Every structure is written in C-alpha cells, then in structure tokens.
Amino acid sequence: MRRFLSAALLLAACSRKSPDEQLIKQFDSVKSWSATVQFAGEKWRANSVPAFFMRATIAAAEKDYDAAARSIDQSRARKELRDQFRRELDAARASAQRLKHELR
Amino acid sequence: MREQIDIIRDILDKQLVDRDHTAMGRVDGIVLSIDDGAPRIDHFELGFVVLACRLHPRVEQWLRAIRTRWSVRKSARQIVPWSAVQDITQREIRLDVHAIETSAFDWEKWLRKNIVSKIPGSGEE
Amino acid sequence: MKKATQLALGVLTAVGGFFDVGNIATCTQAGAHFRFQLIWSLILATIVVIFLIEMSGRFAAVTKKALPDAIREHLGFSFWFVPFLILTAVHLLVLAAEIGGICFALHLITGLPIQVWALPVAILVWLFLWRSTFNAIENSTSILGLITLCFVVAAIWHHPPVHEVLAGSLPSMPSHDPANYWFIAVSIVGAVIAPYLFYFYSSGAVEDEWDSTYIPINRVVAVIGMGFGSIISVGAIIVAGIVLAPRGIKVSDYHQAALMLTEIFPFWGYLLFAISMAIACLGAAVEVALSMSYTFAQTFGWNWGEDLEPIKDARFSLVYTIALLLASLFMVAGIDPLKLTIMTMATNAFVLPFVTIPFLLLMNDRKLLRDASNGIISNIATAAIVVLALVLAVVSIPLTFMGGS
C-alpha cells in the first residue's frame, strides 16, 4: 500500500509543472475576467447590458480574483513573477471598483 | 404441422399486451413444467423480483427486502399461465385478459389513485 | 401533402433538438479559447449524429419499435441493464444542465439569482409535459427555436475570414494549451452526440406511427435537420471567436458568453442571447425528460405515450415528474451551471460506447430489419462510430482532470 502511494505521489510530482508555469496558468483566468469586466463595462455604458448584469459579472470576477490572490500567496513561483501578478491583480481589482462606483 | 418456437429469442423479454392492446409488462421469466419427462411451458413470470434474480441472487434478496416493506403488489412474482396466451406476433404477445384487472396493473392503479389523480390536469374526471 | 408538412416539421424539430445547452457551452468555449480551430470536431460529430439519427428513425419505421423496447426484447434484460442505468444517470445530468441553462437565461433577463429559478423552471417544463400532446410540444418548441438562428446572422454580419473558417474545418494540432484543446473537442462531440437523441427520436417516430414509407423522409430529416442545427453551432463558434477571443475573454462562466451578441446587435444582443438560450434549453429539457419516461416505460413494458392523459399512464408520467424534481436540485444546491454542463458533456462522450453499441448491434439484425438493415456505407460508418466512441471513452476521463476548467 505504502509503495503504491509513493509511486502515485512520484507520478503526480513528475507530471506537475514548475511553480512558475503553474501560477501563469492559474493567472489566465484573472486576465480573462479583467477583460470581461472591461468589455462588459463598455457595453453597459453603451446601454447594451443592464446594471444588474454588470453587478453579477463583477461579483463573479471578484470571486475569481480572491481565489487568484490566495494561489499567489501559496505559490512557490519566483518572487518577481508573484509581485508582477499582484500588481496586475490590484489593477484589475481597481478597475472593477471604479465600475462598481459608477454603478451606484 | 407442429409449430416450433424459440423461447429465449422469441418469448423471453417480449412485450405483453391485453385484449385491447394495452401494454402490461414484459415476459420477465419463463417457467417450464415436466410432465412424463417432457418439458412444456407452464407460465410466464412478471415482476421486479423476477428481473432481479436474473441479474444476481444478492440483488434479488435486496429487492425482496425492499418489497416486503414498500410494495403495493400482493405477490412478488406475478404469474401468467400459458393458457392465457392468445397470439404471438413479431411485435408482442397478446393475452386474453384485461390488463387493468391483473396484478400487472397493481402499481399503475395505486399510483393513479393515490398520486396522479390528486394532481390537477391529470385527465381524471 | 401530409408528408410535406411532416418533412418540414421534422427538419425544424431536428434543428431545435440539435442546439441546446451543451452546444452553447462547448461552442462558445471553443470559439473563445481557440477561435475557429475546433470547427472540425463539430463537423465530425454532426456526420456521426446524422448516421445515428437516420438509423434510429429507420429502425422505428421498419420495426414499429423504439430502441429501448427493441434492445430489451432482442438482447435481453441482463444485457440492457447496465446501459440502462448509465443512460438514466446521463439523462438526469443532461436534464439538470438544461434546467441550469434556462435558469441562467432567466437570471439574465430578470437579475434574480439562478437558484431562485430552479423549481419554477422544473414546474414549467413539467406543465408542458403534463398538459400537452407530443406534437404540440414538438411543434411549438421547434418553431420558437428558430430564434437561435440569430447566431448564424451574427456570424455572417461579422464577416468572418473565410479561409480561417475553412482551415478550422480540418483537424489540426493546437497552437497552445493542448489538454484544454482536446478536452473541448471531446465535449463538443459529447454535446452533439447526446445519447438521449436516438432514444427520443425513435420513440417519437413510434408515437407518430411511422411505417416503411417514412424511410426517405427520415433520411432527409436526419441530414438537413442535423446539418442546419450544426450551422447554428458553427455560428456560435464563429461569433465567440470574433468577439471574445481577441479580447482574451475565456468562457469559464455563462456571464462571459452572454456578451457575445452585443457587438453586432448593440440593443438586442443581450436579450437575444438570453431568449435563445432559454428556448433552446427548454426544448431540450422537454425532450430529455420525455426520453427518460420512454426508456423506463419501454424497458419495463408499461403502457406509454405522451398523447395519453397522465391518468392513463401514471408510471410514465411519474418518471418525468420525479426526474425533473431531482434534476432541479442541482441548481437549488447552487452548482455552477456552466461547470455542470461541461462536465456532463464530457460524461456523454464517455458513455457513448455503452449506449450506442447495443443499438448498432440491432441495426445489423437482418431478421429484424430485413432489406432495411444497414448497408455497407452505414456499416463502415458504424464501425467508425464505435471506434470513435471507444477512443473518446478512453481519453475523456484523463482529460477531465487535465483540461476541465
């Protein structure tokens, strides 16, 4: 049993990507969500989507940002990479905040 | 000329209908009896328990246990004597009975009376 | 004359049955992540589904029996038992995903949370089935379903680069993210070749009392209906590829997909998406729930028919009632509708061999179908389908863990 477990762990470790690659992949969703919020914002200003849709979209985006913040904290990726992603995440959060303010 | 029937291919699992072509279950099991050393079909068996025993004895045990507690049907195995068979066609086996009067419709009748008729729009006058 | 209207209605129904929550989810994902590169998997799946639908209609027309009925009779209960259980589980998942699609569409229209809509939607679908006859259901949902053509209109108005679209029609290796690429390819196949389609279609043919004279009509319905249906799906891929992909928007939530029509229809786009989604999913939910009842009733030999009043086939009616109730619980529990859809479509692909092999065995039974049994082309297609199904079954599981987002 123990031998089987260690073999499984070894296999999992080998198939794992490096911490950098892993974080880059996880951060993909933040890029996608910040693009979504921006696009939805344009459409809201042009009166193409209702305000409640904007709020729901921002809420979904912020949920993803929170998850991303946690994975950056837990990641063992290079410090520069983590710092860069933190800055990008802050920018994404800020633009979501601005839109939320406009929505009021 | 003596008519020959392949009982596994042409009878087992076949649809049963009554005089008015109402579907009333399938041939879940076939029971032979032996008279003077010559086997002949005695009756068909219908019911979930019959199906279960075709899968595995354990499944049959479970189903019997559930049945004793929950079933509305009186017996586990409903029996259709060979003498009730009127006609065997490509599509189905026609029985000389009224489905609604047989225990094949025990569940159907119980559900109609206790559930479906209580829901508006079921077609119950 | 009667046949001509039936032909038209059949085509409409096929179009309506084709485009559902699975297509919306997988096609927008494909377009947003890989632009036009995955159109080939949709085309491949459409060819397969045309063959399978044609076979199941021909089977019903010749034998006057629907698939679950015939499989149990000719292959036996013990053989059918496992595919039957699998089919039931898949029916429930697909039904839950379709209900999720309707709930999300209503969320888009009203702003109320998705969970709130779960039970009202289940009751609405149930009312449809409880009160209507088979043809009323078919005709109304399929005519309303024409609204989904807005995806095709949007795709054309966007003037997609034709050579890129054509290049996407042929299989190619992914430019990036291979696990995700193959995962989406498999889930597109699962969305298009949904197992319930054949069981539903053949039972519907029996309800409509088809006979051998319907074989040509059936062929036309299968080819044109499914062909048109897939054009709507290609439309969705193209629009997502033009609107979402360049902005870097990947679809991991239906909110992201909901924006895709606003570029070309600034005022109506949002509502058009919501209404298309609601109607496409409503039509499919009705079909899946009915398909579940058909499968149960035929497997156990109960009296069945959507044209009967519920009191005349209590067991048949209660199967879809319970199925709708159970399926709505997924949304009540707050499961994300897109994740549920994608997971379900991968499952569809995985179970394909279990639910198609019994059916394909019957199609070659000369005793049953006589001269209408499968010819050489159908059999080559059949062999290809089985191989494809087995490959999908093997790859879909690991891909679910690697590529599922």
Side-chain angles (χ1 to χ4, degrees):
Chain A
M1 186 64 201
R2 190 180 289 169
R3 193 176 293 168
F4 173 75
L5 258 180
S6 53
L9 277 176
L10 194 72
L11 208 70
C14 289
S15 65
R16 268 265 174 81
K17 293 175 186 142
S18 76
D20 280 16
E21 283 172 327
Q22 226 181 343
L23 192 63
I24 291 171
K25 190 154 176 13
Q26 279 168 338
F27 204 73
D28 255 4
S29 71
V30 172
K31 291 185 174 148
S32 158
W33 272 112
S34 78
T36 307
V37 169
Q38 198 193 338
F39 186 39
E42 285 166 27
K43 290 297 159 195
W44 173 65
R45 288 195 196 96
N47 247 336
S48 294
V49 300
F52 63 73
F53 173 78
M54 241 0 267
R55 282 194 203 97
T57 306
I58 293 174
E62 283 179 332
K63 221 164 116 187
D64 186 76
Y65 296 163
D66 291 345
R70 276 196 299 279
S71 50
I72 293 175
D73 289 343
Q74 284 159 9
S75 170
R76 285 179 297 153
R78 278 179 296 124
K79 188 167 177 311
E80 305 93 86
L81 192 67
R82 279 183 288 152
D83 287 343
Q84 185 201 327
F85 280 163
R86 279 208 185 92
R87 279 195 300 277
E88 282 181 36
L89 190 58
D90 286 342
R93 278 191 200 278
S95 76
Q97 275 303 330
R98 272 198 301 281
L99 264 169
K100 260 166 73 178
H101 210 75
E102 272 183 67
L103 278 165
R104 282 209 196 101
Chain B
M1 198 190 90
R2 295 235 315 260
E3 207 184 342
Q4 294 199 332
I5 302 172
D6 185 333
I7 54 171
I8 299 299
R9 201 196 61 208
D10 291 336
I11 297 190
L12 189 64
D13 285 317
K14 203 154 189 161
Q15 179 75 53
L16 294 169
V17 298
D18 75 350
R19 267 179 233 143
D20 311 321
H21 280 274
T22 306
M24 49 173 292
R26 286 175 173 275
V27 181
D28 295 330
I30 301 171
V31 176
L32 303 181
S33 64
I34 297 176
D35 286 346
D36 306 326
R40 57 177 193 83
I41 294 183
D42 191 77
H43 59 264
F44 302 147
E45 289 185 327
L46 280 64
F48 288 121
V49 170
V50 183
L51 283 178
C53 90
R54 280 170 69 183
L55 292 177
H56 197 276
R58 180 74 45 80
V59 184
E60 187 193 355
Q61 271 175 17
W62 289 336
L63 216 66
R64 274 186 190 282
I66 298 170
R67 223 195 74 79
T68 44
R69 208 171 278 191
W70 298 98
S71 190
V72 300
R73 196 178 272 173
K74 276 138 264 159
S75 70
R77 292 160 187 258
Q78 187 208 336
I79 284 166
V80 175
W82 177 255
S83 55
V85 173
Q86 210 174 39
D87 194 12
I88 299 177
T89 67
Q90 263 264 306
R91 274 172 59 79
E92 62 212 5
I93 296 176
R94 201 158 71 243
L95 301 178
D96 189 21
V97 294
H98 252 309
I100 197 92
E101 291 159 7
T102 66
S103 55
F105 262 54
D106 282 353
W107 269 109
E108 176 77 21
K109 278 188 287 190
W110 188 87
L111 292 170
R112 282 182 188 178
K113 186 163 151 264
N114 295 294
I115 299 182
V116 175
S117 63
K118 306 240 158 84
I119 305 173
S122 61
E124 170 81 333
E125 302 305 321
Chain C
M1 186 55 215
K2 189 173 160 253
K3 292 236 160 112
T5 40
Q6 259 170 340
L7 190 72
L9 281 172
V11 169
L12 273 182
T13 310
V15 174
F18 189 94
F19 194 72
D20 72 339
V21 73
N23 281 272
I24 294 175
T26 55
C27 291
T28 53
Q29 277 202 340
H33 296 213
F34 298 98
R35 274 174 75 84
F36 316 133
Q37 221 193 336
L38 276 162
I39 290 177
W40 66 267
S41 73
L42 189 82
I43 293 176
L44 176 72
T46 305
I47 295 171
V48 172
V49 89
I50 286 174
F51 271 101
L52 289 171
I53 284 285
E54 192 277 330
M55 286 180 205
S56 58
R58 172 157 45 99
F59 185 86
V62 174
T63 64
K64 308 205 171 48
K65 276 178 180 286
L67 286 180
D69 185 349
I71 295 175
R72 160 117 197 239
E73 179 179 334
H74 295 282
L75 301 173
F77 180 74
S78 319
F79 183 96
W80 173 230
F81 183 65
V82 172
F84 168 69
L85 286 187
I86 293 175
L87 192 62
T88 303
V90 176
H91 267 130
L92 262 183
L93 282 175
V94 176
L95 188 56
E98 307 287 357
I99 289 177
I102 308 172
C103 291
F104 185 80
L106 290 170
H107 157 74
L108 283 182
I109 295 169
T110 62
L112 295 172
I114 298 168
Q115 269 151 300
V116 172
W117 287 110
L119 285 174
V121 163
I123 292 171
L124 175 79
V125 177
W126 175 81
L127 265 178
F128 242 100
L129 292 168
W130 194 259
R131 297 294 299 162
S132 309
T133 61
F134 182 78
N135 286 321
I137 291 174
E138 283 294 272
N139 302 347
S140 56
T141 54
S142 52
I143 289 167
L144 287 175
L146 287 179
I147 195 173
T148 53
L149 283 172
C150 65
F151 285 99
V152 181
V153 175
I156 294 170
W157 284 5
H158 270 297
H159 298 295
V162 178
H163 59 281
E164 260 189 79
V165 172
L166 288 178
S169 310
L170 295 172
S172 55
M173 292 310 277
S175 48
H176 59 278
D177 210 353
N180 199 7
Y181 178 87
W182 293 111
F183 180 77
I184 298 178
V186 166
S187 39
I188 287 179
V189 173
V192 173
I193 318 177
Y196 80 85
L197 279 176
F198 327 115
Y199 293 85
F200 174 78
Y201 187 76
S202 64
S203 303
V206 172
E207 290 241 40
D208 279 341
E209 297 175 345
W210 283 19
D211 54 37
S212 319
T213 60
Y214 281 75
I215 291 178
I217 290 192
N218 170 54
R219 202 153 283 165
V220 176
V221 166
V223 175
I224 298 185
M226 294 288 136
F228 263 125
S230 79
I231 289 175
I232 300 175
S233 296
V234 171
I237 296 183
I238 290 175
V239 177
I242 290 176
V243 176
L244 303 178
R247 293 185 166 79
I249 299 176
K250 295 186 172 169
V251 179
S252 58
D253 184 301
Y254 279 128
H255 283 99
Q256 293 164 309
L259 289 161
M260 63 193 275
L261 291 176
T262 55
E263 194 76 346
I264 204 88
F265 307 114
F267 186 69
W268 289 105
Y270 176 81
L271 260 187
L272 264 180
F273 181 88
I275 295 173
S276 299
M277 188 168 184
I279 289 172
C281 298
L282 177 67
V286 167
E287 291 186 2
V288 180
L290 261 184
S291 175
M292 185 121 170
S293 279
Y294 287 141
T295 314
F296 268 78
Q298 293 171 27
T299 296
F300 297 113
W302 306 334
N303 48 326
W304 58 276
E306 177 52 16
D307 292 338
L308 296 176
E309 287 177 315
I311 197 78
K312 294 275 194 298
D313 51 2
R315 291 170 290 190
F316 176 87
S317 313
L318 285 174
V319 169
Y320 64 67
T321 305
I322 294 168
L324 281 166
L325 201 68
L326 289 178
S328 70
L329 293 180
F330 286 76
M331 286 304 114
V332 173
I335 292 172
D336 178 67
L338 180 73
K339 292 205 172 70
L340 175 67
T341 310
I342 296 297
M343 210 272 291
T344 303
M345 296 310 132
T347 315
N348 267 352
F350 175 68
V351 302
L352 215 51
F354 299 95
V355 294
T356 50
I357 288 173
F359 158 40
L360 295 172
L361 281 177
L362 285 188
M363 289 311 298
N364 279 294
D365 192 333
R366 292 218 160 262
K367 225 173 178 153
L368 217 61
L369 286 162
R370 291 181 297 275
D371 27 336
S373 61
N374 269 358
I376 194 123
I377 298 175
S378 290
N379 267 337
I380 292 171
T382 304
I385 291 164
V386 172
V387 172
L388 176 74
L390 290 172
V391 171
L392 285 179
V394 175
V395 298
S396 64
I397 287 265
L399 280 179
T400 309
F401 294 105
M402 285 159 64
S405 47

